[in-house]
Amino acid sequence: MSHKIAALLSGGKDSTFTILKCVSEGHDVVALAHLNPPQNTEELDSYMYQTVGHNAVQYVAKALGVQLFESEITGSPMLQDLGYKETPNDEVEDLYELLKKIKTETSCTAVCSGAIFSTYQKNRVEEVCKRLDLVNIAPLWERNQDVLLQEMLDNQLNIRIIKVASIGLDKSHVGQHAVDLLSHFNAINKKFGFNVCGEGGEYESLVTDCPLFAYKILIDASEKVCHSQCDVAPVWFEKFNKITLEEKPGLKELTLKERLQRACTQGS
């Protein structure tokens, strides 16, 4: 059964590839949902949401050509149990209110998220969907991380590393691309048990191009910011100071499905 989907979007590889997978499976993405950190906050240590690179999400939405709905994170992780139930002032309630608004204003019947191994996050999205009578779709759930990252690259996702927080990664890796770091990821996986897809928060990403995009996202100016200094695993992230879009010929007027079909045809 195909659904009209509200896609949870961080701008990173998991949420973007989830949208691509949903389109390939015949679903129609009608809305994008994104939660921003509080004003004047570049990076928020949230249990639920990627906030680094939040000012790039509007460009991802423009590249996709899908309506973006945004709200601010006002809550905090009040209930930290693995399971979740409605809890006042919890950051999950911000997601509930945003999806409630999207359901009211669009025809969405389902929500998709890029959860891979975080039961904590998946349970919370499922609970919100249950309360709103929406179907929860998580096509990446429990996929092998090595295979999954390679599949993303094979599907022409240009994945930029915009935050690092792991042993084996440092300031020099911020701004690099996943395709160029694969061998390094595999090496630190063998040495330290590094999660190749970053599911343990080892890194965050921004997709600057993929077959669904009608525009390439160009990072014209940025700076590297130290969020937490540590000799073993310093936390660095990229702050974007100037972003522009470069139109890809012949794609803007196509639907997401048509863009994907064209990319598959050109790649065959």
Side-chain angles (χ1 to χ4, degrees):
M1 177 181 177
S2 62
H3 286 281
K4 293 185 180 299
I5 288 179
L8 305 187
L9 180 69
S10 68
K13 60 180 177 45
D14 301 338
S15 62
T16 304
F17 192 56
T18 292
I19 294 172
L20 188 148
K21 294 291 284 185
C22 286
V23 171
S24 71
E25 293 169 5
H27 300 299
D28 183 17
V29 180
V30 298
L32 304 171
H34 176 71
L35 284 157
N36 287 303
Q39 193 172 7
N40 299 321
T41 302
E42 286 295 329
E43 168 64 340
L44 181 70
D45 290 323
S46 166
Y47 285 23
M48 275 293 293
Y49 314 113
Q50 173 181 319
T51 56
V52 64
H54 62 91
N55 60 328
V57 170
Q58 61 180 306
Y59 296 94
V60 176
K62 175 71 173 178
L64 288 166
V66 179
Q67 184 178 5
L68 175 64
F69 292 80
E70 295 183 279
S71 186
E72 186 175 290
I73 301 168
T74 60
S76 57
M78 303 295 292
L79 180 61
Q80 298 179 18
D81 298 341
L82 196 59
Y84 183 78
K85 60 182 179 181
E86 183 176 351
T87 303
N89 302 317
D90 195 284
E91 61 182 353
V92 175
E93 298 307 313
D94 295 318
L95 177 62
Y96 172 81
E97 293 297 333
L98 180 58
L99 290 177
K100 181 180 178 181
K101 172 182 171 66
I102 292 174
K103 183 180 180 181
T104 300
E105 298 187 17
T106 73
S107 55
C108 75
T109 58
V111 172
C112 73
S113 69
I116 302 175
F117 277 107
S118 174
T119 303
Y120 179 94
Q121 293 176 354
K122 185 171 183 285
N123 285 350
R124 280 153 174 73
V125 175
E126 285 180 343
E127 176 62 23
V128 168
C129 287
K130 181 180 178 182
R131 286 162 60 187
L132 291 170
D133 194 26
L134 294 168
V135 175
N136 179 40
I137 298 175
L140 310 187
W141 183 245
E142 294 187 335
R143 290 284 309 277
N144 177 284
Q145 292 192 46
D146 295 353
V147 174
L148 180 57
L149 181 57
Q150 187 61 57
E151 185 180 340
M152 292 177 182
L153 297 173
D154 290 344
N155 277 272
Q156 304 171 52
L157 267 68
N158 192 335
I159 301 168
R160 184 183 182 101
I161 307 303
I162 63 172
K163 180 183 176 182
V164 296
S166 170
I167 186 170
L169 296 178
D170 56 37
K171 177 182 179 181
S172 68
H173 298 107
V174 176
Q176 293 195 47
H177 291 85
V179 67
D180 300 318
L181 293 174
L182 267 182
S183 60
H184 182 64
F185 284 176
N186 290 328
I188 57 179
N189 167 261
K190 292 176 181 177
K191 192 171 183 179
F192 306 116
F194 175 86
N195 291 294
V196 174
C197 271
E199 266 297 278
E202 291 86 350
Y203 68 90
E204 304 285 4
S205 64
L206 172 71
V207 175
T208 56
D209 195 18
C210 83
L212 298 181
F213 287 7
Y215 300 85
K216 292 181 180 180
I217 298 171
L218 306 179
I219 308 300
D220 298 316
S222 68
E223 58 187 283
K224 298 179 183 182
V225 178
C226 183
H227 183 61
S228 175
Q229 188 58 267
C230 170
D231 292 337
V232 178
V235 180
W236 287 85
F237 69 88
E238 187 171 23
K239 178 182 177 182
F240 304 129
N241 296 324
K242 183 180 180 183
I243 302 174
T244 55
L245 295 173
E246 179 183 295
E247 186 172 345
K248 297 159 65 176
L251 293 182
K252 189 168 65 173
E253 303 306 321
L254 300 182
T255 65
L256 294 179
K257 182 179 180 180
E258 289 169 339
R259 293 175 194 175
L260 188 56
Q261 288 173 336
R262 175 176 287 194
C264 291
T265 300
Q266 292 175 342
S268 62

